[in-house]
Amino acid sequence: KGPRDMPQDFKASLCLPTTSAPARTHSNGNCSSYTETQHLSVVGIMFVAQTLLGVGGVPIQPFGISYIDDFAHNSNSPLYLGILFAVTMMGPGLAFGLGSLMLRLYVDINQMPEGDISLTIKDPRWVGAWWLGFLIAAGSVALAAIPYFFFPKEMPKEKHELQFRRKVLAVTDSPARKDKDSPSKQSPGESTKKQDGLVQIAPNLTVIQFIKVFPRVLLQTLRHPIFLLVVLSQVCLSSMAAGMATFLPKFLERQFSITASYANLLIGCLSFPSVIVGIVVGGVLVKRLHLGPVGCGALCLLGMLLCLFFSLPLFFIGCPSHQIAGITHQTSAQPGLELFPSCMEVCSCPSDGFNPVCDPSTRVEYITPCHAGCSSQVVQDALDKSQVFYTNCSCVAEGNPVMAGSCDSTCSHLVVPFLLLVSLGSALACLTHTPSFMLILRGVKKEDKTLAVGIQFMFLRILAWMPSPVIHGSAIDTTCVHWALSCGRRAVCRYYNNDLLRNRFIGLQFFFKTGSVICFALVLAILRQQDKEARTKESRSSPAVAQQLLVSGPGKKPEDSRV
């Protein structure tokens, strides 16, 4: 093809003499204040949408957690909570699978970029239809919310729970009923209502009263060492999860040179199923083994220690950085790195252009065909697709032709073992999910349970889900070796130092896991100390009780000697 018959992206990327090169100065229309205002308004809409999404999720988590624990049998509550958490994690797993399909479509579904630019899914400039998944998910949420309108105002207690309470009340009240027949005795149902009366105090408060009571309850809850340490450990785990959920697809795409669609597909098929299995297994272990607070603390610590151990090999599984001419690969004999070597001085290459090509013989990548000094282009048609080659390249060794697109990585196959280790670590970390929630639900007063879970989720949002993506994003940005500029400012990173990217991303994950291990170790130490003190106190009080029972005369009423 001649230059006049080429698509705009091919023509603008070729090495053309300065006299015959088309005008490559980009208009500043996209840098006007009006355009920036439009961008800010779109960001504002996204913020409002995310806020509404958070408000809509409150009835399920955190209120649903306390709701289940209140109306379920004590032995069934861990299993029910494990199922709730597992089903909740099915959503992101399905979303990654859906995103993999949506990203195969171009962002403008009905048209390709202006100027007859030809893009494929493997092109680094490809932008998928990210917005389409939001519409599908929003419609599904609207349909799933309909059954909530048919729930009763108050759920009945689980049958086994009521039978258990009646038996306990019958045993404890039988001596008093035999010795005195007073009109003040209460039926089991009335006693249950009296016990549940404390739970009803908080819902009956007005907004003003709740605001007045909230600081006192907050301080009282935070002074509980188990609650505080468990929440801090969950903050560390949530920070790790937020960084993974936000940047793991990008990390896999850059580290192993795979497409965004394939990265999302792998995460949806491997990582999230393992997370679901870990949560369910954690709930089943608590139920089957009848774990108390010390057992739950030990299970949490064991799960995090194993997770930390399986995270160590991740530092050594990855691909080396690509050789980029003028950035990471020296193309001339002069010392230092040059973006514009002398072999392309006759070309008028755009400084902000990006249409990468690869020299298959040396596996060196060039930002554009112009940076490789290529002056012509050839298209080879095949049965399923066509391959574009650029020829007459003055900056390529022996003038070999170069292929359109980035160079393939020689170690892309390592993405599967890498993700398998990540999935195994995620499953082990999620073993702690249900036991840690049980430590909180069993460690606070019943009337403060809902508020404690709400405080817990408030800290998770403020201390983990908000700052963690910013921290991970800032760490990833420090590994960039070549930035694309837009309106004179950094816009997007084109190339990363893969070794730094891997060490800093996995290092942050390792840091948060270590923090969680330390918190759970302190929790277990405190629980063991409390258990030891309780046993010591019980052993000291047992002889005194036995002596009191021996000296109690026949005239002594049974309730006076009951412990």
Side-chain angles (χ1 to χ4, degrees):
K1 290 185 178 180
R4 294 183 181 179
D5 301 324
M6 298 179 190
Q8 184 176 345
D9 60 331
F10 293 148
K11 185 177 180 180
S13 299
L14 291 178
C15 175
L16 302 176
T18 307
T19 54
S20 60
R24 297 190 181 187
T25 58
H26 298 280
S27 63
N28 293 328
N30 293 331
C31 301
S32 63
S33 59
Y34 173 73
T35 305
E36 292 187 2
T37 303
Q38 282 185 320
H39 293 170
L40 289 177
S41 63
V42 172
V43 173
I45 293 174
M46 292 292 292
F47 273 121
V48 173
Q50 291 290 336
T51 303
L52 293 176
L53 189 63
V55 173
V58 167
I60 300 176
Q61 292 189 22
F63 290 166
I65 298 171
S66 178
Y67 198 72
I68 290 175
D69 192 61
D70 284 338
F71 295 102
H73 190 276
N74 286 340
S75 62
N76 291 333
S77 181
L79 180 61
Y80 293 161
L81 290 178
I83 293 174
L84 171 65
F85 296 140
V87 173
T88 303
M89 294 307 299
M90 288 177 61
L94 294 175
F96 272 99
L98 178 64
S100 174
L101 297 176
M102 298 300 103
L103 291 177
R104 294 177 180 273
L105 305 174
Y106 190 66
V107 62
D108 296 325
I109 295 180
N110 60 339
Q111 59 183 359
M112 291 298 286
E114 296 180 358
D116 195 22
I117 296 178
S118 176
L119 294 179
T120 63
I121 189 174
K122 292 186 177 181
D123 198 301
R125 299 169 293 174
W126 177 273
V127 179
W130 57 269
W131 53 270
L132 194 57
F134 282 97
L135 298 182
I136 298 175
S140 302
V141 168
L143 293 176
I146 294 177
Y148 283 96
F149 289 101
F150 302 97
F151 273 64
K153 291 183 178 180
E154 184 177 352
M155 289 285 285
K157 291 277 188 181
E158 201 166 43
K159 184 177 180 181
H160 298 290
E161 174 80 2
L162 289 177
Q163 291 177 352
F164 176 75
R165 289 193 178 187
R166 289 193 183 103
K167 289 180 181 179
V168 172
L169 291 171
V171 171
T172 56
D173 291 349
S174 57
R177 290 177 182 175
K178 289 179 180 179
D179 290 332
K180 56 181 180 180
D181 187 16
S182 61
S184 60
K185 60 184 180 180
Q186 297 177 347
S187 65
E190 292 172 345
S191 179
T192 304
K193 290 181 180 179
K194 184 177 180 180
Q195 291 179 1
D196 293 342
L198 294 174
V199 188
Q200 303 300 327
I201 294 176
N204 293 332
L205 293 177
T206 63
V207 177
I208 303 299
Q209 291 173 335
F210 175 77
I211 293 174
K212 292 180 180 179
V213 172
F214 179 74
R216 179 174 59 84
V217 177
L218 177 62
L219 292 176
Q220 179 182 351
T221 307
L222 292 180
R223 281 185 296 195
H224 196 296
I226 301 299
F227 175 83
L228 186 60
L229 286 172
V230 171
V231 169
L232 287 178
S233 66
Q234 289 187 341
V235 165
C236 292
L237 287 175
S238 296
S239 299
M240 178 193 71
M244 277 285 186
T246 307
F247 292 104
L248 184 58
K250 179 185 180 70
F251 174 82
L252 297 178
E253 181 184 353
R254 296 292 185 170
Q255 184 71 211
F256 299 99
S257 300
I258 60 176
T259 64
S261 175
Y262 184 51
N264 281 271
L265 182 63
L266 285 177
I267 295 172
C269 293
L270 294 178
S271 294
F272 280 95
S274 65
V275 168
I276 294 172
V277 170
I279 293 175
V280 173
V281 170
V284 170
L285 288 177
V286 174
K287 175 180 171 59
R288 292 296 182 186
L289 301 179
H290 304 286
L291 297 180
V294 177
C296 288
L299 179 60
C300 292
L301 181 59
L302 178 63
M304 286 310 304
L305 284 174
L306 291 175
C307 175
L308 201 64
F309 174 75
F310 284 105
S311 298
L312 290 175
L314 297 178
F315 286 99
F316 309 101
I317 301 177
C319 297
S321 302
H322 285 187
Q323 296 296 314
I324 313 299
I327 299 176
T328 62
H329 180 75
Q330 189 171 338
T331 57
S332 64
Q334 298 179 1
L337 301 179
E338 299 177 353
L339 187 58
F340 298 101
S342 57
C343 59
M344 47 162 286
E345 287 181 352
V346 295
C347 311
S348 56
C349 299
S351 58
D352 58 346
F354 186 67
N355 182 19
V357 293
C358 176
D359 179 8
S361 60
T362 59
R363 306 195 67 82
V364 175
E365 189 170 320
Y366 299 84
I367 298 178
T368 65
C370 182
H371 289 79
C374 302
S375 57
S376 59
Q377 174 253 343
V378 177
V379 178
Q380 291 184 355
D381 294 326
L383 295 177
D384 53 345
K385 61 179 181 179
S386 59
Q387 178 65 54
V388 179
F389 289 90
Y390 294 91
T391 57
N392 299 328
C393 304
S394 58
C395 295
V396 179
E398 300 178 0
N400 292 329
V402 295
M403 297 188 304
S406 297
C407 294
D408 293 330
S409 177
T410 56
C411 59
S412 296
H413 60 281
L414 294 178
V415 66
V416 176
F418 180 90
L419 206 54
L420 286 175
L421 278 177
V422 170
S423 303
L424 179 60
S426 300
L428 292 170
C430 288
L431 280 177
T432 69
H433 204 71
T434 302
S436 61
F437 269 94
M438 298 310 298
L439 287 174
I440 291 177
L441 294 175
R442 299 292 182 261
V444 298
K445 295 180 180 180
K446 190 171 184 179
E447 59 268 24
D448 296 336
K449 188 187 304 181
T450 303
L451 194 58
V453 176
I455 294 171
Q456 172 199 6
F457 272 79
M458 178 185 72
F459 279 110
L460 293 182
R461 296 291 190 271
I462 295 175
L463 300 180
W465 289 98
M466 289 177 62
S468 178
V470 178
I471 295 172
H472 280 81
S474 301
I476 290 174
D477 284 346
T478 60
T479 66
C480 183
V481 295
H482 179 63
W483 288 91
L485 301 179
S486 176
C487 303
R489 292 176 294 184
R490 288 181 176 180
V492 63
C493 182
R494 298 298 190 190
Y495 296 106
Y496 291 91
N497 184 322
N498 280 359
D499 293 331
L500 279 179
L501 175 64
R502 182 176 62 257
N503 290 334
R504 293 183 182 178
F505 182 75
I506 302 301
L508 267 178
Q509 298 286 306
F510 196 84
F511 171 78
F512 288 123
K513 293 175 184 177
T514 304
S516 181
V517 168
I518 294 173
C519 290
F520 279 130
L522 293 175
V523 167
L524 184 59
I526 294 174
L527 287 173
R528 284 186 172 179
Q529 182 65 26
Q530 291 178 350
D531 188 57
K532 183 179 179 181
E533 292 176 356
R535 290 182 179 180
T536 304
K537 187 176 180 181
E538 183 180 354
S539 63
R540 289 178 179 176
S541 62
S542 296
V545 173
Q547 185 178 1
Q548 183 181 1
L549 291 174
L550 289 174
V551 301
S552 58
K556 202 83 171 175
K557 293 184 179 180
E559 60 265 23
D560 294 336
S561 59
R562 254 191 305 140
V563 179

